[in-house]
Amino acid sequence: MKHWQLNKEEGGIVVATLDKAGEAANSLSAEVMAEFAVVLDQLELNPPSGLIVRSGKAAGFVAGADIHEFTQLDTPEKGRELVARGWDLFNRLASVSYPTLALIRGHCLGGGLELALACRYLLAVDEPGTKMGLPEVMLGIFPGWGGMRRLPQRIGPTAALDLMLTGKTIDAKRAKKMGLADECVPPRVMDMAARQLLLSGRGRRPLPVVQRLLNGPLKFVVARGARQQVVKKARPEHYPAPYAIIDLWAKHDGNALAAPAVVDRIIHSPTARNLVRVFFLQERLKGFGKECDFKAQRVHVIGAGVMGGDIAAWCVLRGLTVTLQDQTLERILPALKRANDLFAKRLRDPLKIRDANDRLIPDVTGDGAVHADVVIEAIFESVEAKHALFKALEPKLKPGAVLATNTSSLKLEDLRTVLAKPERLVGIHFFNPVAMMPLVEVVAADGADPAAVQAACAFVRQIDKLPLPVKSAPGFLVNAVLAPYMLAAMHAVDSGINPETVDEAMLAFGMPMGPIELVDTVGLDIALAAGRQLADGAEPPHCLLRAVENGHLGKKSGRGFYDWSTGRAAKAAAGQVPAGLGERLVEPLIARTERLVADGIVADADLADAGVIFGTGFAPFTGGPLHYRQKRG
Ligand code: NAI
């Protein structure tokens, strides 16, 4: 066999190790699954005392199905065959006469978890990389290889639907607590624990009575609640898969093959195709972080304001040690407080929170710059201020350290004039709020040192963001495409359409937030300044000028286009959206994206689509603005 190794131990236990040939991570391709069927054939002839399924990869157990195969499903038959392949194989695994155990260390996702769920026991190894989930919904499809049936049976339908409908993952401890894992052990005892559990003869912990009722006669109650949750987040015309998951579980006990029409509709939906496209775009962005082996340990951030403070906190959360510099300690303290809130929310464990706080070091004198592998400037948006800083900073830096600015609107060419080595300055442009936004633009001015740009990309990847290389130009990619879009939205308001109606038009198009609410969130003064720079000399909208004159600056001032006194935009009913309004408003964004590709600001159309999706939230189910345009003709 190419991908599986079988080892028979004393006592008759067989260990089946998946080590997919030619890949760094395991995925369940047709070939891998066909070989596993052969494994089961062999064991049927000669039954072992127990079977342990494990991974031979350092990366994890199994990352999921082989997503490349999804792009080859050009007929309904092939889609159904794909579902049947895993459904039948894992049913067969679930019904073997000998005990079976999945030893889960590292990622165990999608088809990987469905394989594990078909085993009698699931042993989770407690280490940071271990995570389990059924994220198929993120690709616009459903967990059709038994996950929709077995996960609710194991952990109850409410928790199972929550995992399947959001695609989120859980760690080993949580898996044990929820009843997904039978045991959770540290790596050093995992082999012994696996053998003990396998031969223990222990029955599975039964689901509590209420959960059994909810997974049986009371399914409709859970389904109704789940549907209500999904409606708030995703419209069925944009994202049909979560609705299908609820129905397949409620009506067919998770057997998609009992509803072939649903399988055809979901697998061949433009949404699924586009979300798979977005998955590969994301992989491409990740690839920019792999072009060199730069690895940072210490980061120095200068400016503890909105951005600098949050960038520092994010780097700490991702394991780095960060010195945070500002003019006074008083200016750093609010950033430390925000950082502590972030750590508390994301880390939960008090020891880990304490360690994170210890790694974030206030540094008024800026001594940290000397030791830093990456230095990020995030001070006031002023050329003079940045010049003074860079002049004093450059002589202190380590030779290979990355020197970066987070500027949104200043030209790198102007900022670097004071440097002895101007080619070393790069842009590492984060978006606000830092913790939420996956994209970071890595900006290269003409003549930038390619090694510095590659190191910046590697650093961005190291902190688990998606690097998008762009050339230096006003607004780079993301702000440059947002400006004409927001302008069009405000011009629509000038023409007499309600802000609510404008926002509804874009929500219906599939945007995560309406453009008028977005202007309010960004701040009307900032939008006005950005518009002056990025709108090709177009007149600022009257509604914007009027609001700014009246001191209505948006969310931060309690009032903008909407009233924000409760912390949320108070919106009236949207009313009837004029036909074609959404398409009309998005048109300037698409046109600007095309122009930026033509001008070489971003290397190609796919990367532009990736940048606009991950930088603005542009409706992922469309596959990105340029893909959308191309498909619409
Ligand atoms: P901010 O005004 O909130 O914070 C700037 C901080 O820098 C202040 O705390 C100030 O005391 C400090 N500072 C100024 N001069 C300093 C110096 N010489 N040494 C040490 N500290 C100094 O500004 P914000 O919004 O965080 O912006 C910072 C940079 O990030 C700007 O270049 C901006 O264009 C960029 N940016 C801002 C975004 C936003 O949404 N606010 C988004 C992306 C980039």
Side-chain angles (χ1 to χ4, degrees):
M1 280 186 285
K2 233 165 97 184
H3 308 292
W4 291 89
Q5 289 149 19
L6 288 191
N7 239 330
K8 189 152 190 172
E9 301 183 343
E10 242 175 86
I13 292 179
V14 168
V15 179
T17 304
L18 175 58
D19 192 354
K20 193 176 177 196
E23 308 268 348
N26 285 328
S27 62
L28 297 174
S29 61
E31 214 179 67
V32 165
M33 295 173 83
E35 278 191 9
F36 190 63
V38 175
V39 170
L40 294 182
D41 290 343
Q42 288 182 6
L43 298 180
E44 196 172 299
L45 294 176
N46 204 350
S49 60
L51 169 68
I52 294 176
V53 184
R54 63 178 299 166
S55 160
K57 303 284 187 204
F61 182 70
V62 177
D66 182 340
I67 297 177
H68 289 278
E69 291 179 0
F70 293 173
T71 58
Q72 292 150 20
L73 305 175
D74 43 15
T75 62
E77 289 72 32
K78 286 189 190 164
R80 284 180 229 161
E81 266 167 38
L82 180 92
V83 175
R85 185 171 95 198
W87 175 259
D88 294 340
L89 181 66
F90 294 162
N91 278 346
R92 193 173 160 208
L93 171 62
S95 64
V96 295
S97 56
Y98 45 87
T100 52
L101 177 144
L103 175 56
I104 311 290
R105 181 179 195 183
H107 54 227
C108 171
L109 303 172
L113 184 57
E114 295 179 293
L115 164 64
L117 281 166
C119 292
R120 184 179 303 174
Y121 303 112
L122 196 158
L123 181 70
V125 179
D126 185 20
E127 64 172 21
T130 298
K131 52 181 185 171
M132 284 161 252
L134 293 174
E136 283 84 348
V137 74
M138 321 261 257
L139 294 174
I141 54 174
F142 45 76
W145 291 350
M148 288 185 290
R149 173 173 293 181
R150 295 196 179 95
L151 191 63
Q153 285 172 350
R154 207 173 273 215
I155 64 173
T158 323
L161 282 172
D162 182 43
L163 286 181
M164 293 191 287
L165 296 175
T166 59
K168 69 183 170 201
T169 57
I170 54 173
D171 63 19
K173 282 207 178 85
R174 185 129 184 77
K176 166 78 169 75
K177 206 164 158 200
M178 289 171 89
L180 172 56
D182 298 276
E183 288 296 345
C184 160
V185 297
R188 69 194 145 77
V189 299
M190 64 181 192
D191 292 314
M192 192 184 62
R195 283 154 186 82
Q196 264 176 13
L197 180 59
L198 179 68
L199 302 181
S200 65
R202 219 167 89 177
R204 167 119 1 99
R205 186 177 77 172
L207 266 186
V209 180
V210 177
Q211 289 298 330
R212 258 179 291 158
L213 288 174
L214 292 174
N215 201 31
L218 297 181
K219 269 186 174 179
F220 70 98
V221 180
V222 181
R224 196 172 53 205
R227 229 174 261 119
Q228 282 165 355
Q229 288 305 314
V230 171
V231 165
K232 286 188 210 152
K233 295 205 179 121
R235 301 183 187 216
E237 64 274 26
H238 299 156
Y239 296 100
Y243 297 88
I245 290 173
I246 298 171
D247 283 351
L248 289 171
W249 166 73
K251 295 187 190 143
H252 304 286
D253 198 16
N255 179 6
L257 296 174
V262 177
V263 175
D264 297 350
R265 183 167 59 81
I266 296 295
I267 291 193
H268 297 283
S269 64
T271 294
R273 225 169 290 145
N274 287 334
L275 291 180
V276 167
R277 166 184 162 75
V278 173
F279 172 84
F280 286 119
L281 293 178
Q282 182 172 352
E283 292 300 297
R284 216 181 135 197
L285 293 183
K286 287 181 182 174
F288 289 115
K290 294 181 189 150
E291 289 173 354
C292 70
D293 49 15
F294 178 86
K295 211 167 167 104
Q297 263 151 8
R298 284 175 162 267
V299 178
H300 184 67
V301 179
I302 310 170
V306 176
M307 294 304 288
D310 288 7
I311 293 167
W314 182 260
C315 293
V316 167
L317 190 67
R318 298 274 76 105
L320 293 160
T321 299
V322 181
T323 39
L324 178 58
Q325 179 183 350
D326 206 304
Q327 291 156 330
T328 61
L329 188 60
E330 287 65 45
R331 292 203 178 227
I332 304 179
L333 291 177
L336 299 184
K337 162 90 181 59
R338 286 205 311 281
N340 181 59
D341 294 346
L342 177 74
F343 302 153
K345 194 166 146 207
R346 297 289 183 102
L347 298 173
R348 294 208 204 104
D349 177 348
L351 279 180
K352 289 185 183 155
I353 298 169
R354 194 197 63 193
D355 284 351
N357 280 314
D358 286 350
R359 286 200 305 275
L360 180 54
I361 306 160
D363 181 14
V364 178
T365 48
D367 297 334
V370 183
H371 308 288
D373 306 302
V374 176
V375 175
I376 303 172
E377 170 278 310
I379 67 169
F380 299 139
E381 193 72 329
S382 140
V383 178
E384 295 73 35
K386 294 195 199 246
H387 272 175
L389 178 78
F390 285 143
K391 251 193 250 171
L393 185 62
E394 191 183 21
K396 293 194 205 167
L397 301 179
K398 287 204 296 194
V402 172
L403 174 61
T405 173
N406 185 48
T407 184
S408 286
S409 60
L410 302 175
K411 290 174 79 170
L412 267 69
E413 290 81 351
D414 295 342
L415 295 181
R416 66 184 183 178
T417 54
V418 295
L419 294 174
K421 288 194 178 149
E423 67 279 6
R424 85 185 294 184
L425 183 72
V426 293
I428 299 189
H429 184 232
F430 287 83
F431 296 93
N432 188 7
V434 174
M436 305 283 293
M437 299 298 293
L439 191 82
V440 173
E441 289 171 322
V442 174
V443 189
D446 264 350
D449 176 4
V453 177
Q454 283 181 354
C457 286
F459 164 69
V460 168
R461 198 56 216 127
Q462 187 185 347
I463 57 169
D464 215 8
K465 297 282 180 192
L466 299 170
L468 176 72
V470 291
K471 293 249 174 73
S472 170
F476 312 125
L477 171 72
V478 170
N479 288 344
V481 306
L482 278 177
Y485 164 63
M486 285 157 120
L487 189 72
M490 289 185 280
H491 280 148
V493 174
D494 276 350
S495 77
I497 305 175
N498 288 330
E500 285 87 349
T501 313
V502 171
D503 278 350
E504 173 53 26
M506 294 323 300
L507 292 174
F509 180 86
M511 297 301 197
M513 180 188 274
I516 301 295
E517 187 173 344
L518 183 61
V519 175
D520 264 4
T521 311
V522 170
L524 274 62
D525 49 341
I526 304 226
L528 185 60
R532 291 213 159 102
Q533 192 194 14
L534 299 172
D536 285 342
E539 278 289 295
H542 295 299
C543 57
L544 178 65
L545 286 172
R546 239 187 351 261
V548 173
E549 272 165 27
N550 292 332
H552 298 156
L553 302 185
K555 186 175 180 178
K556 61 185 168 191
S557 75
R559 195 188 167 103
F561 287 96
Y562 299 112
D563 182 71
W564 288 83
S565 48
T566 59
R568 304 183 63 170
K571 290 190 177 183
Q576 182 70 28
V577 175
L581 180 60
E583 288 74 10
R584 218 164 60 232
L585 295 178
V586 85
E587 178 53 37
L589 181 155
I590 299 174
R592 180 64 67 89
T593 311
E594 279 174 337
R595 204 173 92 193
L596 291 169
V597 175
D599 292 349
I601 304 307
V602 53
D604 59 50
D606 278 350
L607 286 181
D609 274 349
V612 178
I613 290 171
F614 293 112
T616 74
F618 187 97
F621 73 90
T622 63
L626 300 183
H627 186 74
Y628 167 80
R629 150 80 46 94
Q630 189 205 354
K631 288 284 156 192
R632 301 265 300 201

